[in-house]
Amino acid sequence: MEKRRKFSDEFKREAVALASQPGVTKAQVGRELGVNANLLTRWSRELRESGTKAFAGAGRPRDEEMVALKRELARVKKERDFLHEAAAFFARESK
């Protein structure tokens, strides 16, 4: 399976600018850049709707932090449960 390609903000803006020129189609620009014409259409729509905030990136810092905290919580719970079971095991062995 092919890895997902990532394009920089600058590349996206330049590609949209090239596709917006008169007499040039998105399909032509897409072939030249190796990008699907539908992707160029989506980029141009996002740029038109969001302006300077377009192409902010995938996910939000808050979401990334939440995922990291959930991962850490799961790890800490496993450690706690392991220590609890170990303490119970050694308590049984000492009797």
Side-chain angles (χ1 to χ4, degrees):
M1 182 155 46
E2 189 176 326
K3 274 187 135 179
R4 187 173 201 164
R5 297 183 301 171
K6 295 183 181 181
F7 300 99
S8 68
D9 295 347
E10 183 180 0
F11 179 83
K12 292 176 183 179
R13 291 178 195 280
E14 290 293 323
V16 169
L18 286 172
S20 300
Q21 293 178 353
V24 179
T25 65
K26 287 184 171 78
Q28 289 173 331
V29 174
R31 276 193 300 273
E32 291 174 6
L33 297 176
V35 175
N36 193 322
N38 294 332
L39 190 57
L40 286 172
T41 303
R42 190 173 77 210
W43 290 345
S44 62
R45 183 177 55 241
E46 186 176 343
L47 188 60
R48 186 176 58 248
E49 291 174 358
S50 301
T52 58
K53 294 182 182 181
F55 317 125
R60 295 186 176 97
R62 185 188 81 229
D63 295 338
E64 293 170 6
E65 182 182 10
M66 182 69 75
V67 168
L69 289 172
K70 285 182 179 182
R71 190 177 304 126
E72 183 179 1
L73 177 62
R75 182 184 57 79
V76 169
K77 282 183 176 181
K78 284 182 184 178
E79 289 175 0
R80 179 201 61 196
D81 293 343
F82 174 77
L83 291 174
H84 188 290
E85 291 173 12
F89 174 78
F90 286 118
R92 283 191 305 261
E93 290 292 320
S94 65
K95 288 185 180 181

Coordinates of all heavy atoms in Angstrom, one line a residue:
M1 N 0.8 -1.2 0.0 CA 0.0 0.0 0.0 C 0.9 1.2 0.0 O 1.9 1.3 0.7 CB -0.9 0.0 1.2 CG -1.8 1.2 1.2 SD -3.4 1.2 2.0 CE -3.3 0.6 3.6
E2 N 0.5 2.2 -0.7 CA 1.3 3.4 -0.9 C 1.1 4.4 0.3 O 0.0 4.5 0.8 CB 0.8 4.2 -2.2 CG 1.7 5.3 -2.5 CD 1.3 5.9 -3.9 OE1 0.9 5.2 -4.7 OE2 1.5 7.1 -4.0
K3 N 2.2 5.0 0.8 CA 2.1 5.9 1.9 C 1.3 7.2 1.4 O 1.4 7.6 0.3 CB 3.5 6.3 2.3 CG 4.1 5.4 3.3 CD 5.3 6.0 3.9 CE 5.4 5.9 5.3 NZ 6.6 6.5 5.9
R4 N 0.6 7.8 2.3 CA -0.1 9.0 2.0 C 0.9 10.2 1.9 O 1.8 10.4 2.7 CB -1.1 9.3 3.1 CG -2.0 10.4 2.9 CD -3.0 10.6 3.9 NE -4.1 11.3 3.4 CZ -5.2 11.4 3.9 NH1 -5.5 10.7 5.0 NH2 -6.2 12.1 3.4
R5 N 0.8 10.9 0.8 CA 1.7 12.0 0.5 C 1.2 13.2 1.2 O 0.0 13.5 1.4 CB 1.8 12.3 -1.0 CG 2.3 11.1 -1.8 CD 2.5 11.5 -3.2 NE 1.2 11.9 -3.8 CZ 1.0 12.4 -5.0 NH1 2.0 12.6 -5.8 NH2 -0.2 12.7 -5.5
K6 N 2.2 14.0 1.7 CA 1.9 15.3 2.4 C 2.5 16.4 1.6 O 3.6 16.3 1.1 CB 2.4 15.3 3.8 CG 1.8 14.2 4.7 CD 2.3 14.3 6.1 CE 1.6 13.3 7.0 NZ 2.1 13.3 8.3
F7 N 1.7 17.5 1.5 CA 2.2 18.6 0.7 C 2.2 19.8 1.6 O 1.4 20.0 2.5 CB 1.2 18.9 -0.4 CG 1.1 17.8 -1.4 CD1 0.0 16.9 -1.3 CD2 2.0 17.5 -2.4 CE1 -0.1 15.8 -2.2 CE2 1.9 16.5 -3.3 CZ 0.8 15.6 -3.2
S8 N 3.2 20.7 1.4 CA 3.4 21.9 2.2 C 2.3 22.9 1.9 O 1.7 22.8 0.8 CB 4.8 22.4 2.0 OG 4.9 23.0 0.7
D9 N 2.1 23.8 2.8 CA 1.2 24.9 2.5 C 1.6 25.7 1.3 O 0.7 26.1 0.4 CB 1.1 25.9 3.7 CG 0.6 25.2 5.0 OD1 0.0 24.1 4.8 OD2 0.7 25.8 6.0
E10 N 2.8 26.0 1.1 CA 3.3 26.7 0.0 C 3.1 26.0 -1.3 O 2.6 26.6 -2.3 CB 4.8 27.0 0.2 CG 5.4 27.8 -0.9 CD 6.9 28.0 -0.7 OE1 7.5 27.5 0.3 OE2 7.5 28.7 -1.6
F11 N 3.3 24.7 -1.3 CA 3.0 23.9 -2.5 C 1.5 24.0 -2.9 O 1.2 24.2 -4.1 CB 3.4 22.5 -2.3 CG 3.2 21.6 -3.5 CD1 4.1 21.5 -4.6 CD2 2.0 20.8 -3.6 CE1 3.8 20.7 -5.6 CE2 1.8 20.0 -4.7 CZ 2.7 19.9 -5.7
K12 N 0.7 23.9 -1.9 CA -0.8 23.9 -2.2 C -1.2 25.3 -2.7 O -1.9 25.4 -3.7 CB -1.5 23.6 -0.9 CG -1.4 22.2 -0.4 CD -2.1 22.0 0.9 CE -1.9 20.6 1.4 NZ -2.6 20.4 2.7
R13 N -0.7 26.3 -2.1 CA -1.0 27.7 -2.6 C -0.5 27.9 -4.0 O -1.2 28.5 -4.8 CB -0.5 28.7 -1.6 CG -1.1 28.7 -0.3 CD -0.5 29.7 0.7 NE -0.9 29.5 2.0 CZ -2.1 29.9 2.5 NH1 -3.0 30.5 1.8 NH2 -2.4 29.6 3.8
E14 N 0.7 27.5 -4.3 CA 1.3 27.7 -5.6 C 0.5 26.8 -6.7 O 0.2 27.3 -7.8 CB 2.7 27.3 -5.7 CG 3.6 28.2 -4.9 CD 3.7 29.6 -5.6 OE1 3.7 29.6 -6.9 OE2 3.8 30.6 -4.9
A15 N 0.1 25.6 -6.3 CA -0.7 24.8 -7.2 C -2.0 25.4 -7.5 O -2.5 25.4 -8.7 CB -0.9 23.4 -6.6
V16 N -2.7 26.0 -6.5 CA -4.0 26.6 -6.7 C -3.8 27.9 -7.6 O -4.6 28.1 -8.5 CB -4.6 27.0 -5.4 CG1 -5.8 27.9 -5.5 CG2 -5.0 25.7 -4.6
A17 N -2.7 28.6 -7.4 CA -2.4 29.8 -8.2 C -2.2 29.4 -9.7 O -2.7 30.1 -10.6 CB -1.2 30.5 -7.7
L18 N -1.5 28.3 -9.9 CA -1.3 27.8 -11.3 C -2.6 27.4 -11.9 O -2.8 27.7 -13.1 CB -0.3 26.7 -11.3 CG 1.2 27.0 -11.0 CD1 2.0 25.7 -10.9 CD2 1.7 27.8 -12.2
A19 N -3.4 26.7 -11.1 CA -4.7 26.2 -11.7 C -5.7 27.3 -11.9 O -6.6 27.2 -12.7 CB -5.3 25.2 -10.8
S20 N -5.5 28.5 -11.3 CA -6.4 29.6 -11.4 C -6.1 30.5 -12.6 O -6.9 31.4 -12.9 CB -6.4 30.4 -10.1 OG -6.8 29.7 -9.0
Q21 N -5.0 30.3 -13.2 CA -4.6 31.1 -14.4 C -5.6 30.9 -15.5 O -6.0 29.7 -15.7 CB -3.2 30.8 -14.8 CG -2.2 31.2 -13.8 CD -0.8 30.9 -14.2 OE1 -0.6 30.2 -15.3 NE2 0.2 31.4 -13.5
P22 N -5.9 31.9 -16.3 CA -6.8 31.7 -17.4 C -6.2 30.9 -18.5 O -5.0 30.9 -18.8 CB -7.0 33.1 -17.9 CG -6.0 34.0 -17.3 CD -5.5 33.3 -16.1
G23 N -7.0 30.0 -19.1 CA -6.5 29.2 -20.2 C -5.8 27.9 -19.7 O -5.3 27.1 -20.6
V24 N -5.8 27.6 -18.4 CA -5.2 26.4 -17.9 C -6.2 25.7 -17.1 O -7.0 26.3 -16.3 CB -4.0 26.8 -17.0 CG1 -3.4 25.6 -16.4 CG2 -3.0 27.6 -17.7
T25 N -6.3 24.4 -17.3 CA -7.3 23.6 -16.6 C -6.6 22.9 -15.4 O -5.4 22.8 -15.3 CB -7.9 22.5 -17.5 OG1 -6.8 21.6 -17.8 CG2 -8.5 23.0 -18.7
K26 N -7.4 22.6 -14.4 CA -6.9 21.9 -13.2 C -6.3 20.5 -13.6 O -5.3 20.1 -13.0 CB -8.0 21.8 -12.2 CG -8.4 23.1 -11.5 CD -9.4 22.8 -10.4 CE -9.6 24.1 -9.6 NZ -10.4 25.1 -10.2
A27 N -6.9 19.9 -14.6 CA -6.4 18.6 -15.0 C -4.9 18.7 -15.6 O -4.1 17.9 -15.3 CB -7.3 18.0 -16.1
Q28 N -4.7 19.8 -16.3 CA -3.3 20.0 -16.9 C -2.3 20.3 -15.7 O -1.3 19.7 -15.7 CB -3.3 21.2 -17.8 CG -4.0 21.0 -19.1 CD -4.1 22.3 -19.9 OE1 -4.2 23.4 -19.3 NE2 -4.2 22.2 -21.2
V29 N -2.7 21.1 -14.8 CA -1.8 21.5 -13.7 C -1.6 20.2 -12.9 O -0.5 19.9 -12.4 CB -2.4 22.6 -12.8 CG1 -1.6 22.8 -11.6 CG2 -2.5 23.9 -13.7
G30 N -2.7 19.4 -12.6 CA -2.5 18.2 -11.9 C -1.6 17.2 -12.5 O -0.8 16.6 -11.8
R31 N -1.7 17.1 -13.8 CA -0.7 16.1 -14.5 C 0.7 16.6 -14.3 O 1.6 15.8 -14.1 CB -1.1 16.0 -16.0 CG -2.2 15.0 -16.2 CD -2.3 14.7 -17.7 NE -2.7 15.9 -18.5 CZ -3.9 16.3 -18.7 NH1 -4.9 15.7 -18.2 NH2 -4.1 17.4 -19.5
E32 N 0.9 17.9 -14.5 CA 2.3 18.5 -14.4 C 2.9 18.3 -13.0 O 4.0 18.0 -12.8 CB 2.3 19.9 -14.8 CG 2.0 20.2 -16.2 CD 1.9 21.7 -16.5 OE1 2.1 22.5 -15.6 OE2 1.6 22.0 -17.7
L33 N 2.0 18.4 -12.0 CA 2.5 18.4 -10.6 C 2.4 17.0 -10.0 O 2.9 16.7 -8.9 CB 1.7 19.3 -9.7 CG 1.9 20.8 -10.1 CD1 1.0 21.6 -9.2 CD2 3.3 21.3 -9.9
G34 N 1.7 16.1 -10.7 CA 1.5 14.7 -10.2 C 0.5 14.7 -9.1 O 0.6 13.9 -8.2
V35 N -0.5 15.5 -9.2 CA -1.6 15.6 -8.3 C -2.9 15.4 -9.0 O -3.1 15.9 -10.1 CB -1.6 17.0 -7.5 CG1 -2.7 17.1 -6.6 CG2 -0.3 17.1 -6.8
N36 N -3.9 14.8 -8.3 CA -5.2 14.6 -8.9 C -5.9 16.0 -9.0 O -5.8 16.8 -8.2 CB -6.0 13.7 -8.1 CG -7.3 13.2 -8.7 OD1 -7.9 13.9 -9.4 ND2 -7.6 11.9 -8.5
A37 N -6.7 16.2 -10.1 CA -7.4 17.4 -10.3 C -8.4 17.7 -9.2 O -8.7 18.8 -8.8 CB -8.1 17.4 -11.7
N38 N -9.0 16.6 -8.7 CA -10.0 16.7 -7.6 C -9.3 17.3 -6.3 O -10.0 18.1 -5.6 CB -10.6 15.4 -7.3 CG -11.5 14.9 -8.4 OD1 -12.0 15.7 -9.2 ND2 -11.6 13.6 -8.5
L39 N -8.1 17.0 -6.1 CA -7.4 17.5 -5.0 C -7.1 19.0 -5.2 O -7.3 19.8 -4.2 CB -6.0 16.7 -4.8 CG -5.2 17.0 -3.6 CD1 -6.0 16.7 -2.3 CD2 -4.0 16.1 -3.6
L40 N -6.8 19.4 -6.4 CA -6.6 20.8 -6.6 C -7.9 21.6 -6.4 O -7.9 22.7 -5.9 CB -6.1 21.0 -8.1 CG -4.7 20.7 -8.4 CD1 -4.4 20.8 -9.9 CD2 -3.8 21.6 -7.6
T41 N -9.0 21.0 -6.8 CA -10.3 21.6 -6.6 C -10.6 21.8 -5.1 O -11.1 22.8 -4.6 CB -11.5 20.8 -7.2 OG1 -11.2 20.6 -8.6 CG2 -12.8 21.4 -7.0
R42 N -10.3 20.8 -4.3 CA -10.5 20.8 -2.9 C -9.6 21.9 -2.2 O -10.1 22.6 -1.4 CB -10.2 19.5 -2.3 CG -10.7 19.4 -0.8 CD -10.6 18.0 -0.2 NE -9.2 17.8 0.1 CZ -8.6 16.6 0.1 NH1 -9.3 15.5 -0.2 NH2 -7.4 16.4 0.4
W43 N -8.4 21.9 -2.7 CA -7.4 23.0 -2.1 C -7.9 24.4 -2.5 O -7.9 25.2 -1.6 CB -6.0 22.8 -2.7 CG -5.3 21.6 -2.2 CD1 -5.7 20.8 -1.1 CD2 -4.1 21.0 -2.7 NE1 -4.8 19.8 -0.9 CE2 -3.8 19.9 -1.9 CE3 -3.3 21.3 -3.8 CZ2 -2.7 19.1 -2.2 CZ3 -2.2 20.5 -4.0 CH2 -1.9 19.4 -3.2
S44 N -8.4 24.6 -3.7 CA -8.9 25.9 -4.1 C -10.1 26.3 -3.3 O -10.3 27.4 -2.9 CB -9.1 26.0 -5.6 OG -10.1 25.1 -6.0
R45 N -11.0 25.3 -3.0 CA -12.2 25.6 -2.2 C -11.8 25.9 -0.8 O -12.3 26.9 -0.2 CB -13.2 24.4 -2.3 CG -14.5 24.7 -1.5 CD -15.4 23.5 -1.6 NE -14.8 22.2 -1.2 CZ -14.7 21.2 -1.9 NH1 -15.1 21.2 -3.2 NH2 -14.1 20.1 -1.4
E46 N -10.9 25.2 -0.2 CA -10.5 25.4 1.1 C -9.8 26.8 1.3 O -10.0 27.5 2.2 CB -9.5 24.3 1.6 CG -9.1 24.5 3.1 CD -8.2 23.3 3.5 OE1 -8.2 22.3 2.8 OE2 -7.6 23.5 4.6
L47 N -9.0 27.2 0.3 CA -8.3 28.5 0.3 C -9.3 29.6 0.1 O -9.2 30.6 0.8 CB -7.3 28.5 -0.9 CG -6.4 29.7 -0.9 CD1 -5.5 29.8 0.4 CD2 -5.4 29.7 -2.1
R48 N -10.3 29.4 -0.7 CA -11.3 30.4 -0.9 C -12.2 30.6 0.4 O -12.5 31.7 0.8 CB -12.2 30.0 -2.1 CG -13.3 31.0 -2.5 CD -14.1 30.6 -3.7 NE -14.8 29.4 -3.5 CZ -14.5 28.2 -4.1 NH1 -13.5 28.2 -5.0 NH2 -15.2 27.1 -3.9
E49 N -12.5 29.5 1.0 CA -13.4 29.6 2.2 C -12.7 30.0 3.5 O -13.2 30.8 4.3 CB -14.0 28.2 2.5 CG -15.1 27.8 1.4 CD -15.6 26.4 1.6 OE1 -15.1 25.7 2.5 OE2 -16.5 26.0 0.8
S50 N -11.4 29.6 3.6 CA -10.7 29.8 4.9 C -9.7 31.0 4.8 O -9.2 31.5 5.8 CB -10.0 28.6 5.4 OG -10.9 27.5 5.6
G51 N -9.3 31.3 3.6 CA -8.4 32.4 3.4 C -7.0 32.1 4.0 O -6.4 31.1 3.7
T52 N -6.5 33.0 4.9 CA -5.2 32.8 5.4 C -5.1 31.6 6.4 O -4.0 31.1 6.7 CB -4.7 34.1 6.2 OG1 -5.7 34.3 7.2 CG2 -4.6 35.2 5.2
K53 N -6.2 31.1 6.9 CA -6.2 30.0 7.8 C -6.3 28.7 7.1 O -6.4 27.6 7.8 CB -7.4 30.2 8.8 CG -7.2 31.4 9.7 CD -8.3 31.4 10.7 CE -8.2 32.7 11.6 NZ -9.3 32.8 12.6
A54 N -6.3 28.7 5.8 CA -6.4 27.4 5.1 C -5.1 26.6 5.3 O -4.1 27.1 5.6 CB -6.6 27.7 3.6
F55 N -5.3 25.3 5.2 CA -4.2 24.3 5.3 C -3.6 24.4 6.6 O -2.4 24.3 6.8 CB -3.2 24.5 4.2 CG -3.7 24.8 2.8 CD1 -3.4 25.9 2.1 CD2 -4.7 23.9 2.2 CE1 -3.9 26.2 0.8 CE2 -5.2 24.2 1.0 CZ -4.8 25.3 0.3
A56 N -4.4 24.4 7.7 CA -3.8 24.5 9.0 C -3.2 23.2 9.5 O -2.3 23.2 10.3 CB -4.9 24.8 10.0
G57 N -3.6 22.1 8.9 CA -3.0 20.8 9.2 C -4.0 19.8 9.8 O -5.2 20.2 10.0
A58 N -3.6 18.6 10.0 CA -4.5 17.6 10.4 C -4.6 17.6 12.0 O -3.5 17.6 12.6 CB -4.1 16.2 9.9
G59 N -5.8 17.5 12.5 CA -5.9 17.5 13.9 C -5.7 18.8 14.6 O -5.2 19.8 14.0
R60 N -6.0 18.8 15.9 CA -5.8 20.0 16.7 C -4.9 19.7 17.8 O -4.9 18.5 18.3 CB -7.2 20.5 17.2 CG -8.1 20.9 16.1 CD -9.4 21.6 16.7 NE -10.2 22.1 15.7 CZ -11.3 21.4 15.2 NH1 -11.6 20.2 15.6 NH2 -12.0 21.9 14.2
P61 N -4.1 20.6 18.3 CA -3.2 20.4 19.4 C -4.0 19.8 20.6 O -3.5 18.9 21.3 CB -2.6 21.7 19.7 CG -2.7 22.5 18.5 CD -4.0 22.0 17.8
R62 N -5.2 20.3 20.8 CA -6.0 19.8 22.0 C -6.3 18.3 21.8 O -6.2 17.5 22.7 CB -7.3 20.6 22.1 CG -8.1 20.2 23.3 CD -9.5 20.9 23.2 NE -10.4 20.0 22.4 CZ -11.1 20.4 21.4 NH1 -11.2 21.7 21.1 NH2 -11.9 19.6 20.7
D63 N -6.6 17.9 20.6 CA -6.9 16.5 20.3 C -5.7 15.6 20.5 O -5.8 14.5 21.0 CB -7.5 16.3 18.9 CG -8.8 17.0 18.7 OD1 -9.5 17.2 19.7 OD2 -9.1 17.3 17.5
E64 N -4.6 16.1 20.0 CA -3.3 15.4 20.2 C -3.0 15.2 21.6 O -2.5 14.1 22.1 CB -2.2 16.1 19.4 CG -2.4 16.1 17.9 CD -1.4 17.0 17.2 OE1 -0.5 17.5 17.9 OE2 -1.5 17.1 16.0
E65 N -3.2 16.3 22.4 CA -2.9 16.2 23.8 C -3.8 15.2 24.5 O -3.4 14.4 25.4 CB -3.1 17.6 24.5 CG -2.7 17.6 25.9 CD -2.9 19.0 26.6 OE1 -3.5 19.9 25.9 OE2 -2.5 19.1 27.7
M66 N -5.1 15.2 24.1 CA -6.0 14.2 24.7 C -5.6 12.8 24.4 O -5.7 11.9 25.3 CB -7.4 14.5 24.1 CG -8.5 13.6 24.7 SD -8.9 14.0 26.4 CE -9.8 15.5 26.2
V67 N -5.2 12.5 23.2 CA -4.8 11.2 22.9 C -3.5 10.8 23.7 O -3.5 9.7 24.2 CB -4.4 11.1 21.4 CG1 -3.7 9.8 21.0 CG2 -5.7 11.2 20.5
A68 N -2.6 11.7 23.9 CA -1.4 11.4 24.7 C -1.8 11.2 26.1 O -1.2 10.2 26.8 CB -0.4 12.6 24.5
L69 N -2.7 12.0 26.6 CA -3.1 11.8 28.0 C -3.8 10.4 28.2 O -3.6 9.8 29.3 CB -4.0 12.9 28.5 CG -3.2 14.3 28.7 CD1 -4.3 15.4 28.9 CD2 -2.2 14.2 29.8
K70 N -4.7 10.1 27.3 CA -5.4 8.8 27.4 C -4.4 7.6 27.4 O -4.5 6.6 28.1 CB -6.4 8.6 26.3 CG -7.6 9.5 26.5 CD -8.6 9.2 25.4 CE -9.9 10.1 25.7 NZ -10.9 9.9 24.7
R71 N -3.4 7.7 26.5 CA -2.3 6.7 26.4 C -1.6 6.6 27.7 O -1.3 5.5 28.2 CB -1.4 7.0 25.2 CG -0.4 5.9 24.9 CD 0.4 6.3 23.7 NE -0.4 6.6 22.5 CZ -0.2 7.8 21.8 NH1 0.7 8.6 22.2 NH2 -1.0 8.0 20.8
E72 N -1.2 7.7 28.3 CA -0.5 7.7 29.5 C -1.3 7.2 30.7 O -0.8 6.4 31.5 CB 0.0 9.1 29.9 CG 0.8 9.2 31.1 CD 1.3 10.6 31.5 OE1 0.9 11.5 30.7 OE2 2.0 10.8 32.5
L73 N -2.6 7.5 30.7 CA -3.5 7.0 31.7 C -3.6 5.5 31.6 O -3.6 4.8 32.7 CB -4.9 7.6 31.6 CG -6.0 7.1 32.5 CD1 -5.6 7.4 34.0 CD2 -7.3 7.7 32.2
A74 N -3.7 4.9 30.5 CA -3.8 3.5 30.3 C -2.5 2.8 30.8 O -2.6 1.8 31.5 CB -4.0 3.1 28.8
R75 N -1.4 3.4 30.5 CA -0.1 2.9 31.0 C 0.0 2.9 32.5 O 0.4 1.9 33.1 CB 1.1 3.7 30.4 CG 2.5 3.1 30.8 CD 3.6 4.0 30.2 NE 3.5 5.4 30.7 CZ 3.9 5.8 31.9 NH1 4.3 5.0 32.8 NH2 3.8 7.1 32.2
V76 N -0.4 4.0 33.1 CA -0.4 4.1 34.6 C -1.3 3.1 35.2 O -1.0 2.5 36.3 CB -0.7 5.6 35.0 CG1 -0.9 5.7 36.5 CG2 0.5 6.5 34.5
K77 N -2.5 2.9 34.6 CA -3.4 1.9 35.2 C -2.9 0.5 35.1 O -3.0 -0.3 36.1 CB -4.8 2.0 34.4 CG -5.6 3.1 34.8 CD -7.0 3.1 34.0 CE -7.9 4.2 34.5 NZ -9.2 4.1 33.7
K78 N -2.2 0.2 34.0 CA -1.6 -1.1 33.9 C -0.5 -1.3 35.0 O -0.4 -2.4 35.6 CB -0.9 -1.3 32.6 CG -1.9 -1.6 31.5 CD -1.2 -1.9 30.1 CE -2.2 -2.1 29.0 NZ -1.5 -2.3 27.7
E79 N 0.3 -0.3 35.2 CA 1.3 -0.4 36.3 C 0.7 -0.5 37.6 O 1.2 -1.3 38.4 CB 2.2 0.9 36.2 CG 3.1 1.0 35.0 CD 3.9 2.3 35.0 OE1 3.7 3.2 35.9 OE2 4.6 2.5 34.0
R80 N -0.4 0.2 37.9 CA -1.0 0.2 39.2 C -1.6 -1.2 39.4 O -1.4 -1.8 40.5 CB -2.1 1.2 39.3 CG -2.9 1.2 40.6 CD -4.3 1.8 40.5 NE -5.1 1.0 39.5 CZ -6.2 1.5 39.0 NH1 -6.6 2.7 39.3 NH2 -6.9 0.7 38.1
D81 N -2.3 -1.8 38.4 CA -2.9 -3.1 38.5 C -1.8 -4.2 38.7 O -2.0 -5.1 39.6 CB -3.7 -3.4 37.3 CG -4.9 -2.5 37.2 OD1 -5.3 -1.9 38.2 OD2 -5.5 -2.5 36.1
F82 N -0.7 -4.0 38.0 CA 0.4 -5.0 38.2 C 1.0 -5.0 39.6 O 1.2 -6.0 40.3 CB 1.5 -4.7 37.2 CG 2.7 -5.6 37.4 CD1 2.7 -6.9 37.0 CD2 3.9 -5.1 38.0 CE1 3.8 -7.7 37.2 CE2 5.0 -5.8 38.2 CZ 5.0 -7.2 37.8
L83 N 1.2 -3.8 40.1 CA 1.7 -3.6 41.5 C 0.7 -4.2 42.5 O 1.1 -4.8 43.5 CB 2.1 -2.2 41.8 CG 3.3 -1.6 41.0 CD1 3.4 -0.1 41.3 CD2 4.5 -2.4 41.4
H84 N -0.6 -3.9 42.3 CA -1.6 -4.4 43.2 C -1.6 -6.0 43.2 O -1.6 -6.6 44.3 CB -3.0 -3.9 42.8 CG -4.1 -4.2 43.7 ND1 -4.5 -5.5 43.9 CD2 -4.8 -3.4 44.6 CE1 -5.5 -5.4 44.8 NE2 -5.7 -4.2 45.2
E85 N -1.5 -6.6 42.1 CA -1.5 -8.0 42.0 C -0.2 -8.6 42.6 O -0.2 -9.6 43.2 CB -1.6 -8.5 40.5 CG -3.0 -8.2 39.9 CD -3.0 -8.5 38.4 OE1 -2.1 -9.1 37.9 OE2 -4.0 -8.1 37.8
A86 N 0.9 -7.9 42.4 CA 2.2 -8.4 42.9 C 2.2 -8.3 44.5 O 2.6 -9.2 45.1 CB 3.3 -7.5 42.4
A87 N 1.6 -7.2 45.0 CA 1.5 -7.1 46.5 C 0.6 -8.2 47.0 O 0.9 -8.8 48.1 CB 0.9 -5.7 46.8
A88 N -0.5 -8.5 46.3 CA -1.4 -9.6 46.8 C -0.7 -11.0 46.7 O -0.8 -11.8 47.6 CB -2.7 -9.6 46.0
F89 N 0.1 -11.2 45.7 CA 0.8 -12.4 45.5 C 1.8 -12.6 46.6 O 1.9 -13.7 47.3 CB 1.6 -12.5 44.2 CG 2.5 -13.6 44.0 CD1 1.9 -14.9 43.7 CD2 3.8 -13.5 44.2 CE1 2.7 -16.0 43.5 CE2 4.7 -14.6 44.0 CZ 4.1 -15.8 43.7
F90 N 2.6 -11.6 47.0 CA 3.6 -11.7 48.0 C 3.0 -11.8 49.4 O 3.5 -12.4 50.3 CB 4.6 -10.5 47.9 CG 5.6 -10.7 46.7 CD1 5.6 -9.8 45.7 CD2 6.4 -11.8 46.7 CE1 6.5 -9.9 44.7 CE2 7.3 -11.9 45.6 CZ 7.3 -11.0 44.6
A91 N 1.8 -11.2 49.5 CA 1.1 -11.3 50.8 C 0.7 -12.7 51.1 O 0.8 -13.2 52.2 CB -0.1 -10.4 50.9
R92 N 0.2 -13.4 50.0 CA -0.2 -14.8 50.1 C 1.0 -15.7 50.4 O 1.0 -16.7 51.1 CB -0.9 -15.3 48.8 CG -2.3 -14.8 48.7 CD -3.0 -15.6 47.6 NE -2.3 -15.4 46.3 CZ -2.6 -14.6 45.3 NH1 -3.6 -13.8 45.5 NH2 -1.9 -14.5 44.2
E93 N 2.1 -15.4 49.8 CA 3.3 -16.2 49.9 C 3.9 -16.1 51.3 O 4.5 -17.1 51.8 CB 4.4 -15.8 48.9 CG 4.0 -16.2 47.5 CD 4.0 -17.7 47.2 OE1 4.9 -18.4 47.7 OE2 3.1 -18.1 46.5
S94 N 3.8 -15.0 52.0 CA 4.4 -14.8 53.3 C 3.6 -15.5 54.4 O 4.1 -15.6 55.5 CB 4.5 -13.3 53.6 OG 3.3 -12.7 53.7
K95 N 2.4 -16.0 54.1 CA 1.6 -16.6 55.2 C 2.0 -18.0 55.4 O 2.4 -18.8 54.7 CB 0.1 -16.5 54.8 CG -0.4 -15.1 55.0 CD -1.9 -15.1 54.7 CE -2.5 -13.8 54.9 NZ -3.9 -13.7 54.7

